[in-house]
Amino acid sequence: MKKIDLHLHSYFSDDGELSPEIIINKAIENGLDIISITDHNSIKANNIALEYANNKNIKYISGIEIDCQYNGLNLHLLGYDFDFNKDCFIKLEENIIKQEKEAGLKRIKKIKEVTNLYLNDEDVLTKAPSGIITGELIAEVLLSDERNKDSKILSPYRDGGIKSDMPFVNFYWDYFSQGKPAYVHIEYITLLEAIKMIKDNGGISILAHPGNNLKNNFDIIDDLIKEGIDGIEVFSSYHSKETIEFFYNKAIKNNLFITCGTDFHGKNKPNIEIGKFNYEINSNLILFN
């Protein structure tokens, strides 16, 4: 069985850390056969990765992870093996970047109102040269500010705390994700539009880590399948064995592609390594030829 990881993020994602070249090197070191870099709403890594992976002992598949929404629920849709040299993908990224830049200062304002923690706006802006201020970045600054060292709010995210395995992204999920107190709305395209964008350009659309995005409402997967997704990321760093079994059976029943991805980001998700899962994958995955 080939070793794969079809969900990796480079520094072209606003919450990623490493270059496409370093990611490919690490994937080769970890013995992977097939990978895809699926940056948030960005195709910039693909040309770099395809060129760098050429003549190396690894197969690279073009990828993207599109933020989208279905009936008000924020979702992530992975796209693979598509013609990424199209204006629609550039316009998608430009639209999200514009909204993200406007949302950054709102996030800072909200988190200060919600927590009363010490947060210097300039400290955050200095760490965001691109102008995009993510929840993970705000968490990093909050945790590094000595004035917050005795904060009970932050104690779960510090060394030894129950959320210290991935402190920055855990803080993001607790405060900045949809439905949380410091959430700032971004107007994403619909799931149907995202599926169409990928399929119209010859690609395959895969619902990303549904166990994470669908919360406890797994039954909605039947409606999402009807929207036209081609497959499900069944094997994910966020999925328990029970979750894997549920979505695996859904994919098999509906004749959908089954994929596997860690959602590697680097420092924002330090316990996630390229191509490494906390369970054995014994099933024959439905992959690309």
Side-chain angles (χ1 to χ4, degrees):
M1 182 182 295
K2 291 186 180 296
K3 293 185 67 176
I4 67 170
D5 192 339
L6 298 181
H7 194 158
L8 305 168
H9 290 272
S10 77
Y11 56 29
F12 289 117
S13 288
D14 53 30
D15 55 357
E17 179 187 14
L18 305 179
S19 70
E21 295 93 336
I22 291 176
I23 288 173
I24 290 171
N25 288 340
K26 286 183 175 291
I28 293 171
E29 288 172 9
N30 290 349
L32 269 69
D33 299 293
I34 306 171
I35 66 165
S36 182
I37 296 175
T38 53
D39 284 316
H40 295 297
N41 310 297
S42 176
I43 47 80
K44 290 176 180 173
N46 287 311
N47 271 326
I48 298 170
L50 282 167
E51 182 177 350
Y52 190 75
N54 190 34
N55 296 322
K56 290 183 172 63
N57 191 29
I58 194 166
K59 180 177 180 180
Y60 181 81
I61 297 171
S62 59
I64 190 172
E65 184 174 20
I66 298 177
D67 285 285
C68 54
Q69 60 86 24
Y70 175 79
N71 289 345
L73 176 66
N74 290 349
L75 299 171
H76 293 168
L77 187 75
L78 296 160
Y80 296 117
D81 205 23
F82 58 99
D83 182 358
F84 53 85
N85 294 305
K86 293 292 182 70
D87 287 345
C88 60
F89 296 107
I90 296 172
K91 290 178 181 178
L92 172 73
E93 183 176 18
E94 289 174 346
N95 175 47
I96 296 298
I97 287 175
K98 180 177 183 294
Q99 292 191 70
E100 283 287 353
K101 287 182 176 180
E102 294 171 352
L105 293 177
K106 296 178 183 177
R107 292 189 181 109
I108 293 175
K109 183 174 184 292
K110 280 194 171 187
I111 199 65
K112 288 196 286 191
E113 291 174 349
V114 168
T115 65
N116 289 317
L117 290 167
Y118 294 103
L119 182 62
N120 188 317
D121 294 13
E122 286 303 315
D123 290 344
V124 181
L125 292 169
T126 299
K127 286 182 171 289
S130 67
I132 295 178
I133 299 169
T134 66
E136 292 93 337
L137 177 59
I138 292 173
E140 183 178 357
V141 174
L142 286 170
L143 286 163
S144 66
D145 194 321
E146 282 296 311
R147 295 174 298 176
N148 295 321
K149 65 180 181 179
D150 297 322
S151 167
K152 291 183 179 179
I153 290 174
L154 294 179
S155 62
Y157 310 95
R158 299 194 184 280
D159 288 346
I162 60 173
K163 299 187 177 184
S164 61
D165 60 333
M166 298 192 297
F168 304 150
V169 75
N170 281 330
F171 189 87
Y172 160 79
W173 283 333
D174 289 343
Y175 287 94
F176 295 103
S177 61
Q178 188 178 30
K180 301 301 181 178
Y183 172 71
V184 176
H185 178 71
I186 301 290
E187 191 64 37
Y188 298 126
I189 64 175
T190 66
L191 173 64
L192 190 60
E193 289 171 324
I195 292 170
K196 188 175 187 301
M197 185 180 295
I198 293 167
K199 287 188 173 185
D200 283 355
N201 291 287
I204 296 170
S205 61
I206 306 290
L207 186 67
H209 42 60
N212 192 35
N213 283 145
L214 301 189
K215 316 304 184 198
N216 294 317
N217 186 19
F218 285 4
D219 288 342
I220 197 177
I221 189 65
D222 293 319
D223 295 327
L224 303 183
I225 290 170
K226 291 176 183 177
E227 288 289 289
I229 61 172
D230 296 307
I232 302 173
E233 187 180 53
V234 171
F235 298 97
S236 167
S237 299
Y238 312 121
H239 289 177
S240 66
K241 289 183 178 180
E242 293 76 19
T243 300
I244 290 169
E245 183 178 359
F246 176 84
F247 288 111
Y248 181 86
N249 289 332
K250 283 289 182 182
I252 293 297
K253 180 180 178 180
N254 291 277
N255 196 29
L256 299 175
F257 286 99
I258 292 169
T259 67
C260 168
T262 58
D263 198 16
F264 171 85
H265 281 71
K267 69 177 183 178
N268 279 323
K269 297 181 180 180
N271 69 336
I272 295 178
E273 295 184 56
I274 295 172
K276 295 190 177 181
F277 296 86
N278 56 6
Y279 45 76
E280 290 293 326
I281 300 174
N282 296 317
S283 302
N284 289 320
L285 303 185
I286 304 171
L287 294 174
F288 310 106
N289 295 325

